[in-house]
Amino acid sequence: MIIELHVLQSFPVSNLNRDDLGQPKTATFGGYTRGRISSQSLKRAARGLFTRYGLDESETGVRTKRLLENAAKTLHKRGRSEDDVDGVTEAGLLALGFGMKSGTRLTEYLLFVGQQASDLLANFCDRNWDSLHKVATEKQKAAAAKKADAEKKAVEKAKKIKPDKETLAEAKRILDATRVADVALFGRMIADNKDFNVDAASQVAHAISTHAVANEFDYYTAVDDLKPDAEAGADMIGNVDFNAACYYRYANLDLDQLTKNLDGDTDLASRAARAWLHAFIHAIPSGKQNSMAALTPPHTLLGVV
């Protein structure tokens, strides 16, 4: 069974989803420039509404580069030395096949994981503390001595650590998405380990305006409230780009794929589908909302099963 949603939604003066120049995104369609809101922006807005429409926070995911930071905090709370937790957690991530961005506490790319991922990573590091601590110490010594080859060997050694079966099973749960509704809905790709890729159950189109759109700009000024009356002129000037348009939005949901992604849990699949339905209808990106308040709800909705 596939559910399709077709939505018409008008926004007044707004800049909901801007490009690298700060202008509302556009697309050429039918020979005309039209307003556009990216599918990524709409999905992000929808994800933020899932708990409002029936899903528990533990059933939703997080997209993050900061697994190391959160897992290290957990290890420190458990009594591990604050001086060691970062190095051991980094070694743990390397052992699991995740690269780290050089000179930072961040993974190389964003990981889409469940809420429990940081705790599960901390459990993995706890169980393999001695071997991971040894690797971390070797890497730190190599870095201090500025021996790139030795540091590289330490990283390779971390990747070759073989945890026991129980720990390995627990470690794999870090990327388990069978209880994570938004990963099941929108999918996930992990280049380092294709076994953890998830085929999306939902497809979301870029919203485009039903008519031609010309982006405009608002020239604004601001005045210092404490300026003496005798002094004239603005104390700040600037431009904000905007448009105003009626958008056509489309999304679909494959219920069979959703149930498969959630390991056959029909109850969670049903609640996830309901949350998706309500969240997508009410999803509005947050761009420039404080200054433009473009919060108009859809005025036409067609659902097709």
mmCIF file of all heavy atoms in Angstrom, residues 26-68:
data_model
loop_
_atom_site.group_PDB
_atom_site.id
_atom_site.type_symbol
_atom_site.label_atom_id
_atom_site.label_comp_id
_atom_site.label_asym_id
_atom_site.label_seq_id
_atom_site.Cartn_x
_atom_site.Cartn_y
_atom_site.Cartn_z
ATOM 1 N N THR A 26 15.070 28.590 -5.995
ATOM 2 C CA THR A 26 14.210 28.625 -7.177
ATOM 3 C C THR A 26 14.469 27.405 -8.050
ATOM 4 O O THR A 26 15.453 26.673 -7.861
ATOM 5 C CB THR A 26 14.458 29.895 -8.018
ATOM 6 O OG1 THR A 26 15.841 29.909 -8.429
ATOM 7 C CG2 THR A 26 14.151 31.155 -7.225
ATOM 8 N N ALA A 27 13.577 27.186 -9.009
ATOM 9 C CA ALA A 27 13.745 26.144 -10.021
ATOM 10 C C ALA A 27 13.075 26.627 -11.302
ATOM 11 O O ALA A 27 12.056 27.328 -11.257
ATOM 12 C CB ALA A 27 13.121 24.830 -9.560
ATOM 13 N N THR A 28 13.652 26.274 -12.448
ATOM 14 C CA THR A 28 13.024 26.597 -13.729
ATOM 15 C C THR A 28 12.143 25.424 -14.141
ATOM 16 O O THR A 28 12.608 24.288 -14.259
ATOM 17 C CB THR A 28 14.084 26.865 -14.811
ATOM 18 O OG1 THR A 28 14.922 27.947 -14.392
ATOM 19 C CG2 THR A 28 13.429 27.208 -16.138
ATOM 20 N N PHE A 29 10.855 25.691 -14.337
ATOM 21 C CA PHE A 29 9.901 24.640 -14.694
ATOM 22 C C PHE A 29 8.879 25.220 -15.660
ATOM 23 O O PHE A 29 8.325 26.291 -15.393
ATOM 24 C CB PHE A 29 9.210 24.095 -13.433
ATOM 25 C CG PHE A 29 8.237 22.975 -13.700
ATOM 26 C CD1 PHE A 29 8.696 21.707 -14.006
ATOM 27 C CD2 PHE A 29 6.872 23.197 -13.644
ATOM 28 C CE1 PHE A 29 7.811 20.670 -14.243
ATOM 29 C CE2 PHE A 29 5.978 22.173 -13.885
ATOM 30 C CZ PHE A 29 6.442 20.899 -14.194
ATOM 31 N N GLY A 30 8.679 24.541 -16.786
ATOM 32 C CA GLY A 30 7.735 25.042 -17.784
ATOM 33 C C GLY A 30 8.177 26.345 -18.413
ATOM 34 O O GLY A 30 7.345 27.121 -18.892
ATOM 35 N N GLY A 31 9.478 26.587 -18.413
ATOM 36 C CA GLY A 31 10.008 27.800 -19.011
ATOM 37 C C GLY A 31 9.966 29.017 -18.115
ATOM 38 O O GLY A 31 10.299 30.127 -18.552
ATOM 39 N N TYR A 32 9.580 28.842 -16.835
ATOM 40 C CA TYR A 32 9.472 29.966 -15.908
ATOM 41 C C TYR A 32 10.243 29.682 -14.622
ATOM 42 O O TYR A 32 10.342 28.526 -14.182
ATOM 43 C CB TYR A 32 8.007 30.248 -15.553
ATOM 44 C CG TYR A 32 7.176 30.715 -16.717
ATOM 45 C CD1 TYR A 32 6.449 29.801 -17.468
ATOM 46 C CD2 TYR A 32 7.125 32.061 -17.074
ATOM 47 C CE1 TYR A 32 5.673 30.218 -18.555
ATOM 48 C CE2 TYR A 32 6.365 32.491 -18.151
ATOM 49 C CZ TYR A 32 5.644 31.563 -18.890
ATOM 50 O OH TYR A 32 4.899 31.982 -19.948
ATOM 51 N N THR A 33 10.783 30.750 -14.038
ATOM 52 C CA THR A 33 11.442 30.631 -12.743
ATOM 53 C C THR A 33 10.373 30.549 -11.654
ATOM 54 O O THR A 33 9.476 31.399 -11.586
ATOM 55 C CB THR A 33 12.349 31.839 -12.472
ATOM 56 O OG1 THR A 33 13.356 31.897 -13.476
ATOM 57 C CG2 THR A 33 13.012 31.723 -11.104
ATOM 58 N N ARG A 34 10.465 29.536 -10.826
ATOM 59 C CA ARG A 34 9.463 29.320 -9.784
ATOM 60 C C ARG A 34 10.144 29.242 -8.411
ATOM 61 O O ARG A 34 11.320 28.885 -8.310
ATOM 62 C CB ARG A 34 8.682 28.028 -10.052
ATOM 63 C CG ARG A 34 7.954 28.051 -11.392
ATOM 64 C CD ARG A 34 7.335 26.698 -11.713
ATOM 65 N NE ARG A 34 6.778 26.692 -13.064
ATOM 66 C CZ ARG A 34 5.479 26.821 -13.357
ATOM 67 N NH1 ARG A 34 4.605 26.993 -12.373
ATOM 68 N NH2 ARG A 34 5.056 26.799 -14.602
ATOM 69 N N GLY A 35 9.389 29.542 -7.379
ATOM 70 C CA GLY A 35 9.897 29.376 -6.027
ATOM 71 C C GLY A 35 10.061 27.895 -5.711
ATOM 72 O O GLY A 35 9.335 27.047 -6.238
ATOM 73 N N ARG A 36 11.003 27.588 -4.845
ATOM 74 C CA ARG A 36 11.262 26.191 -4.492
ATOM 75 C C ARG A 36 11.578 26.076 -3.014
ATOM 76 O O ARG A 36 12.239 26.939 -2.439
ATOM 77 C CB ARG A 36 12.441 25.644 -5.313
ATOM 78 C CG ARG A 36 12.853 24.226 -4.958
ATOM 79 C CD ARG A 36 13.874 23.684 -5.960
ATOM 80 N NE ARG A 36 15.128 24.399 -5.931
ATOM 81 C CZ ARG A 36 16.179 24.078 -5.165
ATOM 82 N NH1 ARG A 36 16.104 23.025 -4.348
ATOM 83 N NH2 ARG A 36 17.290 24.782 -5.203
ATOM 84 N N ILE A 37 11.091 24.997 -2.394
ATOM 85 C CA ILE A 37 11.467 24.628 -1.028
ATOM 86 C C ILE A 37 12.003 23.206 -1.107
ATOM 87 O O ILE A 37 11.308 22.303 -1.560
ATOM 88 C CB ILE A 37 10.267 24.692 -0.065
ATOM 89 C CG1 ILE A 37 9.665 26.085 -0.043
ATOM 90 C CG2 ILE A 37 10.700 24.290 1.346
ATOM 91 C CD1 ILE A 37 8.388 26.195 0.777
ATOM 92 N N SER A 38 13.243 23.000 -0.695
ATOM 93 C CA SER A 38 13.888 21.698 -0.893
ATOM 94 C C SER A 38 13.220 20.606 -0.068
ATOM 95 O O SER A 38 12.662 20.857 1.009
ATOM 96 C CB SER A 38 15.373 21.781 -0.540
ATOM 97 O OG SER A 38 15.546 21.878 0.865
ATOM 98 N N SER A 39 13.301 19.385 -0.572
ATOM 99 C CA SER A 39 12.735 18.240 0.146
ATOM 100 C C SER A 39 13.430 18.045 1.486
ATOM 101 O O SER A 39 12.804 17.665 2.477
ATOM 102 C CB SER A 39 12.855 16.968 -0.700
ATOM 103 O OG SER A 39 14.207 16.678 -0.997
ATOM 104 N N GLN A 40 14.749 18.320 1.542
ATOM 105 C CA GLN A 40 15.485 18.170 2.796
ATOM 106 C C GLN A 40 14.923 19.103 3.864
ATOM 107 O O GLN A 40 14.796 18.734 5.032
ATOM 108 C CB GLN A 40 16.984 18.456 2.581
ATOM 109 C CG GLN A 40 17.669 17.513 1.604
ATOM 110 C CD GLN A 40 17.674 18.053 0.191
ATOM 111 O OE1 GLN A 40 16.709 18.683 -0.235
ATOM 112 N NE2 GLN A 40 18.748 17.811 -0.555
ATOM 113 N N SER A 41 14.600 20.327 3.456
ATOM 114 C CA SER A 41 14.055 21.303 4.399
ATOM 115 C C SER A 41 12.693 20.856 4.918
ATOM 116 O O SER A 41 12.393 20.978 6.110
ATOM 117 C CB SER A 41 13.935 22.665 3.700
ATOM 118 O OG SER A 41 13.351 23.626 4.547
ATOM 119 N N LEU A 42 11.853 20.310 4.043
ATOM 120 C CA LEU A 42 10.528 19.839 4.446
ATOM 121 C C LEU A 42 10.627 18.627 5.361
ATOM 122 O O LEU A 42 9.886 18.503 6.336
ATOM 123 C CB LEU A 42 9.701 19.512 3.203
ATOM 124 C CG LEU A 42 9.298 20.720 2.348
ATOM 125 C CD1 LEU A 42 8.756 20.270 1.000
ATOM 126 C CD2 LEU A 42 8.269 21.573 3.083
ATOM 127 N N LYS A 43 11.557 17.722 5.060
ATOM 128 C CA LYS A 43 11.726 16.530 5.908
ATOM 129 C C LYS A 43 12.239 16.905 7.295
ATOM 130 O O LYS A 43 11.809 16.345 8.304
ATOM 131 C CB LYS A 43 12.672 15.527 5.234
ATOM 132 C CG LYS A 43 12.032 14.787 4.075
ATOM 133 C CD LYS A 43 12.921 13.691 3.522
ATOM 134 C CE LYS A 43 14.004 14.232 2.637
ATOM 135 N NZ LYS A 43 14.746 13.150 1.923
ATOM 136 N N ARG A 44 13.150 17.860 7.337
ATOM 137 C CA ARG A 44 13.662 18.334 8.626
ATOM 138 C C ARG A 44 12.527 18.914 9.470
ATOM 139 O O ARG A 44 12.413 18.641 10.668
ATOM 140 C CB ARG A 44 14.747 19.386 8.382
ATOM 141 C CG ARG A 44 15.181 20.169 9.610
ATOM 142 C CD ARG A 44 16.045 19.361 10.531
ATOM 143 N NE ARG A 44 16.527 20.168 11.643
ATOM 144 C CZ ARG A 44 17.298 19.725 12.618
ATOM 145 N NH1 ARG A 44 17.691 18.465 12.620
ATOM 146 N NH2 ARG A 44 17.680 20.504 13.590
ATOM 147 N N ALA A 45 11.673 19.723 8.839
ATOM 148 C CA ALA A 45 10.542 20.315 9.558
ATOM 149 C C ALA A 45 9.567 19.234 10.027
ATOM 150 O O ALA A 45 9.026 19.307 11.136
ATOM 151 C CB ALA A 45 9.831 21.314 8.658
ATOM 152 N N ALA A 46 9.349 18.210 9.196
ATOM 153 C CA ALA A 46 8.434 17.127 9.570
ATOM 154 C C ALA A 46 8.991 16.308 10.728
ATOM 155 O O ALA A 46 8.251 15.944 11.658
ATOM 156 C CB ALA A 46 8.176 16.226 8.364
ATOM 157 N N ARG A 47 10.288 16.021 10.706
ATOM 158 C CA ARG A 47 10.897 15.228 11.777
ATOM 159 C C ARG A 47 10.692 15.884 13.141
ATOM 160 O O ARG A 47 10.505 15.195 14.146
ATOM 161 C CB ARG A 47 12.402 15.046 11.520
ATOM 162 C CG ARG A 47 12.751 14.036 10.444
ATOM 163 C CD ARG A 47 14.254 13.943 10.261
ATOM 164 N NE ARG A 47 14.912 13.646 11.505
ATOM 165 C CZ ARG A 47 16.078 14.184 11.892
ATOM 166 N NH1 ARG A 47 16.699 15.061 11.131
ATOM 167 N NH2 ARG A 47 16.617 13.848 13.051
ATOM 168 N N GLY A 48 10.716 17.203 13.163
ATOM 169 C CA GLY A 48 10.550 17.917 14.422
ATOM 170 C C GLY A 48 9.150 17.823 14.994
ATOM 171 O O GLY A 48 8.926 18.211 16.147
ATOM 172 N N LEU A 49 8.208 17.300 14.218
ATOM 173 C CA LEU A 49 6.818 17.200 14.672
ATOM 174 C C LEU A 49 6.400 15.781 15.035
ATOM 175 O O LEU A 49 5.276 15.569 15.492
ATOM 176 C CB LEU A 49 5.874 17.728 13.573
ATOM 177 C CG LEU A 49 6.031 19.199 13.180
ATOM 178 C CD1 LEU A 49 5.119 19.522 11.998
ATOM 179 C CD2 LEU A 49 5.717 20.102 14.358
ATOM 180 N N PHE A 50 7.273 14.802 14.836
ATOM 181 C CA PHE A 50 6.870 13.406 15.038
ATOM 182 C C PHE A 50 6.384 13.122 16.459
ATOM 183 O O PHE A 50 5.422 12.389 16.660
ATOM 184 C CB PHE A 50 8.022 12.460 14.688
ATOM 185 C CG PHE A 50 8.223 12.275 13.207
ATOM 186 C CD1 PHE A 50 9.419 11.776 12.714
ATOM 187 C CD2 PHE A 50 7.224 12.607 12.310
ATOM 188 C CE1 PHE A 50 9.601 11.598 11.353
ATOM 189 C CE2 PHE A 50 7.409 12.441 10.940
ATOM 190 C CZ PHE A 50 8.606 11.936 10.466
ATOM 191 N N THR A 51 7.064 13.683 17.448
ATOM 192 C CA THR A 51 6.655 13.403 18.828
ATOM 193 C C THR A 51 5.332 14.085 19.168
ATOM 194 O O THR A 51 4.640 13.668 20.096
ATOM 195 C CB THR A 51 7.740 13.854 19.831
ATOM 196 O OG1 THR A 51 8.051 15.242 19.609
ATOM 197 C CG2 THR A 51 9.005 13.034 19.658
ATOM 198 N N ARG A 52 4.970 15.124 18.427
ATOM 199 C CA ARG A 52 3.681 15.782 18.649
ATOM 200 C C ARG A 52 2.531 14.895 18.158
ATOM 201 O O ARG A 52 1.409 14.999 18.652
ATOM 202 C CB ARG A 52 3.648 17.121 17.916
ATOM 203 C CG ARG A 52 2.354 17.908 18.127
ATOM 204 C CD ARG A 52 2.328 19.188 17.313
ATOM 205 N NE ARG A 52 3.416 20.102 17.684
ATOM 206 C CZ ARG A 52 3.601 21.285 17.118
ATOM 207 N NH1 ARG A 52 2.787 21.681 16.140
ATOM 208 N NH2 ARG A 52 4.597 22.066 17.493
ATOM 209 N N TYR A 53 2.831 14.021 17.215
ATOM 210 C CA TYR A 53 1.767 13.226 16.598
ATOM 211 C C TYR A 53 1.917 11.726 16.868
ATOM 212 O O TYR A 53 1.669 10.904 15.993
ATOM 213 C CB TYR A 53 1.724 13.507 15.095
ATOM 214 C CG TYR A 53 1.329 14.933 14.795
ATOM 215 C CD1 TYR A 53 2.237 15.819 14.222
ATOM 216 C CD2 TYR A 53 0.062 15.416 15.114
ATOM 217 C CE1 TYR A 53 1.879 17.139 13.964
ATOM 218 C CE2 TYR A 53 -0.298 16.730 14.863
ATOM 219 C CZ TYR A 53 0.610 17.580 14.290
ATOM 220 O OH TYR A 53 0.252 18.888 14.042
ATOM 221 N N GLY A 54 2.333 11.379 18.073
ATOM 222 C CA GLY A 54 2.190 10.003 18.508
ATOM 223 C C GLY A 54 3.430 9.170 18.694
ATOM 224 O O GLY A 54 3.345 8.043 19.202
ATOM 225 N N LEU A 55 4.585 9.651 18.298
ATOM 226 C CA LEU A 55 5.805 8.870 18.488
ATOM 227 C C LEU A 55 6.522 9.309 19.761
ATOM 228 O O LEU A 55 6.562 10.491 20.093
ATOM 229 C CB LEU A 55 6.748 9.031 17.297
ATOM 230 C CG LEU A 55 6.329 8.371 15.984
ATOM 231 C CD1 LEU A 55 7.341 8.680 14.902
ATOM 232 C CD2 LEU A 55 6.167 6.866 16.149
ATOM 233 N N ASP A 56 7.084 8.338 20.467
ATOM 234 C CA ASP A 56 7.901 8.649 21.632
ATOM 235 C C ASP A 56 9.274 9.120 21.160
ATOM 236 O O ASP A 56 9.754 8.705 20.095
ATOM 237 C CB ASP A 56 8.042 7.411 22.519
ATOM 238 C CG ASP A 56 8.742 7.729 23.836
ATOM 239 O OD1 ASP A 56 8.067 8.248 24.747
ATOM 240 O OD2 ASP A 56 9.956 7.464 23.946
ATOM 241 N N GLU A 57 9.912 9.966 21.957
ATOM 242 C CA GLU A 57 11.227 10.480 21.568
ATOM 243 C C GLU A 57 12.226 9.355 21.331
ATOM 244 O O GLU A 57 13.088 9.441 20.461
ATOM 245 C CB GLU A 57 11.760 11.439 22.630
ATOM 246 C CG GLU A 57 13.056 12.124 22.234
ATOM 247 C CD GLU A 57 13.549 13.123 23.259
ATOM 248 O OE1 GLU A 57 12.858 13.286 24.299
ATOM 249 O OE2 GLU A 57 14.608 13.724 23.049
ATOM 250 N N SER A 58 12.101 8.272 22.102
ATOM 251 C CA SER A 58 13.012 7.133 21.949
ATOM 252 C C SER A 58 12.829 6.409 20.621
ATOM 253 O O SER A 58 13.678 5.625 20.214
ATOM 254 C CB SER A 58 12.802 6.136 23.094
ATOM 255 O OG SER A 58 11.501 5.575 23.047
ATOM 256 N N GLU A 59 11.722 6.686 19.927
ATOM 257 C CA GLU A 59 11.444 6.059 18.637
ATOM 258 C C GLU A 59 11.848 6.940 17.464
ATOM 259 O O GLU A 59 11.595 6.613 16.319
ATOM 260 C CB GLU A 59 9.953 5.714 18.534
ATOM 261 C CG GLU A 59 9.509 4.689 19.572
ATOM 262 C CD GLU A 59 8.000 4.553 19.676
ATOM 263 O OE1 GLU A 59 7.279 5.548 19.402
ATOM 264 O OE2 GLU A 59 7.545 3.466 20.063
ATOM 265 N N THR A 60 12.490 8.067 17.763
ATOM 266 C CA THR A 60 12.974 8.972 16.726
ATOM 267 C C THR A 60 14.498 8.994 16.738
ATOM 268 O O THR A 60 15.139 8.546 17.683
ATOM 269 C CB THR A 60 12.433 10.395 16.931
ATOM 270 O OG1 THR A 60 12.920 10.913 18.177
ATOM 271 C CG2 THR A 60 10.905 10.397 16.937
ATOM 272 N N GLY A 61 15.070 9.517 15.675
ATOM 273 C CA GLY A 61 16.520 9.500 15.555
ATOM 274 C C GLY A 61 17.152 10.869 15.694
ATOM 275 O O GLY A 61 16.468 11.891 15.828
ATOM 276 N N VAL A 62 18.469 10.887 15.662
ATOM 277 C CA VAL A 62 19.240 12.133 15.652
ATOM 278 C C VAL A 62 20.271 12.034 14.532
ATOM 279 O O VAL A 62 20.798 10.960 14.253
ATOM 280 C CB VAL A 62 19.956 12.387 16.999
ATOM 281 C CG1 VAL A 62 18.957 12.691 18.087
ATOM 282 C CG2 VAL A 62 20.832 11.208 17.405
ATOM 283 N N ARG A 63 20.537 13.161 13.903
ATOM 284 C CA ARG A 63 21.588 13.226 12.879
ATOM 285 C C ARG A 63 22.724 14.032 13.483
ATOM 286 O O ARG A 63 22.558 15.208 13.825
ATOM 287 C CB ARG A 63 21.038 13.901 11.615
ATOM 288 C CG ARG A 63 22.032 13.930 10.474
ATOM 289 C CD ARG A 63 21.449 14.550 9.221
ATOM 290 N NE ARG A 63 20.683 13.579 8.471
ATOM 291 C CZ ARG A 63 19.370 13.649 8.280
ATOM 292 N NH1 ARG A 63 18.674 14.639 8.814
ATOM 293 N NH2 ARG A 63 18.738 12.747 7.568
ATOM 294 N N THR A 64 23.881 13.381 13.657
ATOM 295 C CA THR A 64 24.935 14.043 14.434
ATOM 296 C C THR A 64 26.334 13.607 14.007
ATOM 297 O O THR A 64 26.520 12.506 13.464
ATOM 298 C CB THR A 64 24.753 13.746 15.938
ATOM 299 O OG1 THR A 64 25.734 14.470 16.692
ATOM 300 C CG2 THR A 64 24.886 12.268 16.231
ATOM 301 N N LYS A 65 27.286 14.486 14.267
ATOM 302 C CA LYS A 65 28.708 14.157 14.178
ATOM 303 C C LYS A 65 29.328 14.020 15.566
ATOM 304 O O LYS A 65 30.525 13.786 15.690
ATOM 305 C CB LYS A 65 29.466 15.271 13.430
ATOM 306 C CG LYS A 65 29.179 15.380 11.950
ATOM 307 C CD LYS A 65 30.045 16.479 11.331
ATOM 308 C CE LYS A 65 29.869 16.575 9.832
ATOM 309 N NZ LYS A 65 30.756 17.613 9.243
ATOM 310 N N ARG A 66 28.512 14.155 16.614
ATOM 311 C CA ARG A 66 29.026 14.304 17.976
ATOM 312 C C ARG A 66 28.823 13.069 18.848
ATOM 313 O O ARG A 66 28.619 13.186 20.058
ATOM 314 C CB ARG A 66 28.382 15.536 18.618
ATOM 315 C CG ARG A 66 28.861 16.832 17.984
ATOM 316 C CD ARG A 66 28.117 18.052 18.471
ATOM 317 N NE ARG A 66 28.766 19.280 18.027
ATOM 318 C CZ ARG A 66 28.657 19.783 16.799
ATOM 319 N NH1 ARG A 66 27.893 19.169 15.904
ATOM 320 N NH2 ARG A 66 29.291 20.893 16.460
ATOM 321 N N LEU A 67 28.912 11.891 18.261
ATOM 322 C CA LEU A 67 28.813 10.675 19.069
ATOM 323 C C LEU A 67 29.960 10.590 20.074
ATOM 324 O O LEU A 67 29.768 10.165 21.216
ATOM 325 C CB LEU A 67 28.828 9.434 18.163
ATOM 326 C CG LEU A 67 27.524 9.067 17.457
ATOM 327 C CD1 LEU A 67 27.725 7.800 16.639
ATOM 328 C CD2 LEU A 67 26.391 8.878 18.444
ATOM 329 N N LEU A 68 31.154 10.994 19.641
ATOM 330 C CA LEU A 68 32.317 10.937 20.531
ATOM 331 C C LEU A 68 32.077 11.789 21.767
ATOM 332 O O LEU A 68 32.281 11.333 22.903
ATOM 333 C CB LEU A 68 33.578 11.405 19.784
ATOM 334 C CG LEU A 68 34.919 11.284 20.531
ATOM 335 C CD1 LEU A 68 36.073 11.177 19.531
ATOM 336 C CD2 LEU A 68 35.178 12.462 21.463
#
